Amino acid sequence: MSEERVNFGSKIGMILATAGGAVGLGNVWRFPYMAGDNGGAAFILVYLFCIFLLGVPCMVSEFIIGRHGAANTYRAYSKLSEGRPWKYVGLLGVLTGFLIMGYYAVVSGWCLQYVYASVVGQLHGDPAYVKDYFRIFSGDAVRPVFWLAVIILLSLFVIVHGVRGGIERASKLMMPTLFVLLLVIVVASCLLPGGVKGIEFLFKPDFGKFDQGVFLGALGQSFYSLSIAMGCISTYASYYSRQTNLFNSAVQVALVDTVVAILAGLMIFPAAFSVGVSPDSGPSLIFITLPNVFNEAFATMPLLGWVVSLMFYALLSLAALTSLMSLHEVSTAFLVEELHISRKKGAWVVAVATMLIGTVCSLSLGAGRGPVFGGKTLFDWFDFLTGQIFLPVGGFLTCIFLGWVVPRKIVKDEFTNWGTLRGRFFGVYLFLMRFVSPLAILAIFLHQFGLF
Ligand code: TRP
């Protein structure tokens, strides 16, 4: 634990930066749909249970690894495992982060294009037009690559300014902005005629929908939403100070993430229900369904529609950019510390490599242009490999590592800040890490292949 390592300068900056890494497109395009479709308030309750019983402890574990190592994820794992192969779990985290960045940047770039399209009013038209607009744009060879480069350069600009001057400063600016935009759109959406039906749909508890699949879905979403097992959380935690209360911080980050997810539901459902559209999830929700919803819902108030659409895509871009920054930092810290190069050089290498991967991913979506292996485009392969294989495997091994391999004293020292905190939840935490979390992750993993 070198004292000279840069730290976040303030508690709020540290929480906002970490929450920025966690709050991403998943909060907007996945959580609301899952909640609405799986029993509303009943799902939200289960989700909260998963977040606090499993997500938070796993996040604490990554905090412990990161802060103890005070280094990039690979090195942080090596420091704790003294020559044993556990360091490869850290390496897997770095690799997962790097690969995700390639395709996450493509979608982030799309958000920027839609900010532009909102400004110049290109999104107006009937549903067929909006659908074609997205299909033609995302399959284009030039524009997505252009926006991909723009968003990576934005992230690069932040990263080269370092932890305090870059990541922390940007997060303190971007996260509150995101929150304000979200609140304004929520109000506009809830005031639409018939919006109440959307609120009802989101919150009406329906315990009848409840089954094992729903439970595992909530569990998977809670890990995904907190960005667990991608090296992001532990890399940011390597900049935490020795005074940071790791457990409280994890709770705060989880709260921010959950509030944003629920507000996203309050933004999407009332608007969708007011025009009688049932929302879906994923890219088609934000790039096809919602532009249509905005067009219709604000048909009589075009100026308001223009503002809402612009604010919505600005919000998505911010959410995506803060997550992209956290990914950018994972690989940058790795390169800087392992290859002993400057931060600027490291950040540039990551940016250029991501642009290349992103470009290939983006081109693979163009109609007929990209190679398809096993029925998936390259883009889908990235998504599948990282999200469904690397992530659970890394998460599982991390639980085992902290629960069983790392000496208990180190874990307890980090949890209680060397005995200065009471650490009331330490026993529970360790129990969850040893038994409950690994089994839960295993269940999600097997479930997605239909084996459980
Ligand atoms: N948590 C992000 C979201 O809610 C998704 C995500 C998971 C992510 N892991 C990540 C984003 C790593 C960036 C980096 O959308």
Side-chain angles (χ1 to χ4, degrees):
M1 277 154 289
S2 59
E3 292 292 343
E4 328 82 70
R5 187 177 176 78
V6 278
N7 286 148
F8 285 115
S10 65
K11 188 160 170 248
I12 182 80
M14 168 214 109
I15 296 285
L16 289 180
T18 314
V23 171
L25 298 170
N27 296 60
V28 181
W29 83 24
R30 201 143 165 258
F31 175 84
Y33 175 78
M34 290 189 84
D37 216 37
N38 289 316
F43 178 87
I44 296 180
L45 275 181
V46 179
Y47 180 77
L48 286 176
F49 177 83
C50 295
I51 284 274
F52 288 102
L53 217 67
L54 296 157
V56 167
C58 285
M59 183 175 266
V60 170
S61 298
E62 290 205 27
F63 282 173
I64 291 179
I65 294 170
R67 187 173 70 172
H68 181 85
N72 69 80
T73 302
Y74 167 69
R75 183 159 296 218
Y77 276 77
S78 343
K79 280 191 184 169
L80 280 169
S81 62
E82 291 153 5
R84 277 172 296 165
W86 288 98
K87 59 178 184 234
Y88 296 111
V89 180
L91 199 59
L92 182 72
V94 175
L95 183 71
T96 310
F98 177 68
L99 291 179
I100 289 187
M101 197 175 164
Y103 85 95
Y104 205 80
V106 174
V107 183
S108 310
W110 292 350
C111 297
L112 284 187
Q113 155 80 21
Y114 272 62
V115 170
Y116 166 78
S118 302
V119 172
V120 299
Q122 281 177 357
L123 298 174
H124 298 300
D126 58 15
Y129 164 82
V130 173
K131 191 165 175 189
D132 263 357
Y133 184 88
F134 177 65
R135 194 179 51 77
I136 293 170
F137 161 71
S138 61
D140 195 300
V142 181
R143 283 178 300 161
V145 176
F146 169 75
W147 290 112
L148 164 78
V150 173
I151 198 134
I152 293 177
L153 289 176
L154 286 174
S155 164
L156 175 70
F157 178 77
V158 173
I159 297 297
V160 292
H161 281 87
V163 174
R164 278 198 195 189
I167 296 171
E168 181 169 354
R169 230 167 103 196
S171 305
K172 274 163 98 171
L173 196 76
M174 285 169 13
M175 291 305 286
T177 312
L178 179 147
F179 209 70
V180 171
L181 290 176
L182 187 59
L183 282 180
V184 174
I185 308 177
V186 166
V187 172
S189 170
C190 289
L191 288 178
L192 285 168
V196 184
K197 275 186 296 185
I199 305 179
E200 248 174 51
F201 179 70
L202 182 63
F203 287 125
K204 200 172 75 215
D206 177 359
F207 288 93
K209 289 248 173 81
F210 223 75
D211 62 9
Q212 180 190 322
V214 170
F215 184 74
L216 290 173
L219 201 53
Q221 173 67 12
S222 71
F223 282 118
Y224 181 82
S225 193
L226 294 180
S227 301
I228 285 175
M230 313 220 181
C232 298
I233 302 291
S234 53
T235 302
Y236 273 6
S238 73
Y239 305 118
Y240 285 6
S241 83
R242 287 168 69 98
Q243 279 76 43
T244 302
N245 181 331
L246 299 184
F247 178 75
N248 284 358
S249 305
V251 170
Q252 286 162 10
V253 171
L255 275 179
V256 174
D257 188 70
T258 307
V259 167
V260 170
I262 293 178
L263 284 175
L266 280 176
M267 160 173 90
I268 292 170
F269 285 118
F273 275 69
S274 92
V275 296
V277 169
S278 70
D280 49 353
S281 70
S284 70
L285 168 73
I286 57 179
F287 298 113
I288 299 174
T289 311
L290 287 180
N292 279 322
V293 166
F294 294 150
N295 281 339
E296 257 195 76
F298 299 103
T300 53
M301 306 163 269
L303 187 64
L304 187 61
W306 185 83
V307 173
V308 167
S309 169
L310 172 59
M311 290 198 340
F312 176 72
Y313 291 106
L315 167 124
L316 284 180
S317 305
L318 285 177
L321 181 57
T322 48
S323 294
L324 206 56
M325 280 154 38
S326 75
L327 289 168
H328 206 144
E329 181 63 22
V330 173
S331 308
T332 304
F334 176 77
L335 292 180
V336 168
E337 288 160 12
E338 300 309 316
L339 303 182
H340 307 289
I341 53 178
S342 69
R343 166 171 276 272
K344 194 167 165 195
K345 212 166 172 183
W348 265 101
V349 171
V350 178
V352 171
T354 307
M355 277 184 210
L356 290 178
I357 296 188
T359 303
V360 176
C361 272
S362 176
L363 294 181
S364 87
L365 292 174
R369 235 178 277 143
V372 173
F373 317 94
K376 288 188 195 333
T377 61
L378 205 64
F379 185 94
D380 295 333
W381 269 110
F382 270 84
D383 188 27
F384 171 76
L385 262 185
T386 53
Q388 289 183 272
I389 313 275
F390 290 179
L391 215 155
V393 170
F396 177 80
L397 292 174
T398 299
C399 294
I400 301 291
F401 184 52
L402 259 213
W404 300 95
V405 180
V406 174
R408 189 170 184 274
K409 172 156 179 0
I410 295 185
V411 179
K412 185 157 188 183
D413 276 349
E414 290 287 343
F415 195 94
T416 61
N417 287 354
W418 300 270
T420 56
L421 302 171
R422 269 177 59 212
R424 245 182 315 159
F425 295 107
F426 182 69
V428 183
Y429 159 76
L430 202 64
F431 176 76
L432 291 171
M433 225 9 70
R434 289 193 156 167
F435 302 101
V436 185
S437 306
L439 286 177
I441 297 177
L442 197 65
I444 305 178
F445 185 64
L446 296 178
H447 179 72
Q448 61 192 16
F449 296 103
L451 296 172
F452 178 70

